[in-house]
Amino acid sequence: MPWSLAWFVLLVLFRPVIDNFYYLKETSPFLSPLYIVGVLTPLLSVVAIIKVPKPNYSRLDSVMAVYSTLIFLSCAFLLIRAGFSMDSLEVSLKLSLPAFVYFFGRRFIRSKKDLLGIFQTFIYSAAFVLVILGYELIFNPISVQMSRGLERIQGNFADVINYAIYATCGVLLAGFYYFDKSKSWKFNKRVTIFMITVVISLVIISNIHHTASYAVIMGLFIIFLVNNLRSNLGGAVFFILTAAVVVYTFGKETIDENIMPLIETDIQVYEGEKDSEALLHGRVGRWESFLEVFDESNVVSKLIGLPSGMDEPFKYISKGAHNDFLRIMMFTGLAGLFAYLIFLFSSFMRTLKHDTPMRFLGLGTLAIFFLYSISTTPSLYAPLLYILIPVFCMLALPVNMMDKK
């Protein structure tokens, strides 16, 4: 593999190590590996986009090109209106990362073999994350956050979602390998790998107490069961019975200790004890205030995003939105949100053309993006993009290229 592409493999491999040096940016941005990676990734992507031709044309490319154009336009407005500074440059590079990774991925992913290579590298990188997790669980938490009365371990990562990414993507890949019979693994081995991965992922989620990640794991399991019913009825019955036994044995205690504190406010809203603004840990109230700002903006800003008419829109176009659909609308306007939704819908339609392994992978990827987007901003987390965007790039290829060597 030429170095114009190979650097991405190394980035996926070492990303969890790099993430542990997040706080070096407080000393100096020039000492922060994350800042260095944040600048080099777009540059190296552009080099690959120029040097390496795409294997084919896809309508997904056209939709992503429209969405990317709106992203870059908003980034340009951001740099002009907010002033060219380290902060505005950092935000612009982060916001435009999905565009760079997608068009780089279209050069990188030419067959199923390339996609499996990324997955394998991700699995290797997860070993480092599991070592950190093991240390925190056995010896001492490295860093702890308090949320709704629960302790959330987060290692040296900037956010507990870093742990969640490896948990949810782990389940996604384990499900894919379960359905993918190209390795000729026996049924027992595929079941064992999937169940061990689910257990590890639940251990992670139960220690970071992240509501959205519970929903994502549940969504992936439902998609897994549905695809099992289509391709392996016996396997589906086995997993349903196993899940029923686990829920019956541990369900009530787990829900009371790990889930009820997370949804207590929502229950109070439902019972009329609190206003609707308190829903989803106060996120609904924030969304309402953001929508008021958007509604009061001018027509151009509504069409192509707040950066075109606001000097400092950082608050509205970053993780603080706590909803990716809202953030995308604030950042790229109604036009950008429409293009993004068309891209997701087109990917969904292409997923249905594939066999069971790729169908599970495509639907699982869309579920992760959609469910996380309700209360977080998944398109701003680079480690998640490294794994999920290549799936979209695989969907952009003709169906018969799934088996190309």
Side-chain angles (χ1 to χ4, degrees), residues 167-376:
T168 53
C169 287
V171 173
L172 177 70
L173 299 194
F176 171 72
Y177 283 116
Y178 170 86
F179 290 115
D180 183 28
K181 299 179 181 179
S182 62
K183 288 182 176 292
S184 300
W185 288 347
K186 292 183 178 180
F187 177 73
N188 290 344
K189 182 175 182 179
R190 289 186 280 123
V191 169
T192 302
I193 290 173
F194 180 78
M195 293 187 70
I196 289 175
T197 305
V198 170
V199 170
I200 293 174
S201 297
L202 290 177
V203 169
I204 294 175
I205 300 303
S206 64
N207 280 279
I208 65 173
H209 302 292
H210 193 244
T211 311
S213 295
Y214 279 118
V216 171
I217 295 292
M218 180 62 70
L220 289 175
F221 191 68
I222 292 172
I223 295 172
F224 177 80
L225 288 179
V226 171
N227 278 274
N228 246 316
L229 288 170
R230 293 169 55 97
S231 62
N232 185 352
L233 182 60
V237 171
F238 170 79
F239 282 110
I240 290 173
L241 291 177
T242 301
V245 171
V246 171
V247 170
Y248 178 79
T249 306
F250 304 104
K252 186 178 186 306
E253 181 181 351
T254 301
I255 291 173
D256 289 343
E257 292 183 2
N258 298 304
I259 298 179
M260 289 304 294
L262 299 176
I263 61 174
E264 184 178 359
T265 303
D266 301 317
I267 294 174
Q268 290 174 343
V269 172
Y270 177 76
E271 293 177 346
E273 297 178 11
K274 289 189 176 182
D275 295 333
S276 60
E277 294 179 353
L279 277 170
L280 297 176
H281 199 43
R283 284 172 169 77
V284 171
R286 173 172 290 236
W287 299 341
E288 290 175 350
S289 66
F290 277 34
L291 287 171
E292 287 178 7
V293 171
F294 185 80
D295 188 57
E296 293 171 0
S297 62
N298 60 51
V299 175
V300 175
S301 295
K302 288 178 181 177
L303 183 62
I304 62 174
L306 296 186
S308 65
M310 185 181 292
D311 290 337
E312 294 187 1
F314 300 104
K315 170 183 176 182
Y316 304 102
I317 61 176
S318 60
K319 295 178 182 178
H322 289 295
N323 181 293
D324 220 19
F325 300 118
L326 176 61
R327 183 197 67 79
I328 289 170
M329 185 179 72
M330 305 290 274
F331 178 47
T332 58
L334 293 171
L337 178 62
F338 181 73
Y340 180 69
L341 293 176
I342 290 295
F343 178 81
L344 294 181
F345 178 76
S346 299
S347 299
F348 170 75
M349 296 304 295
R350 295 182 73 89
T351 296
L352 299 181
K353 298 179 182 179
H354 284 273
D355 59 5
T356 301
M358 193 62 201
R359 188 185 305 117
F360 169 79
L361 189 62
L363 293 176
T365 297
L366 289 167
I368 291 174
F369 264 111
F370 181 82
L371 292 173
Y372 269 138
S373 293
I374 294 173
S375 61
T376 62

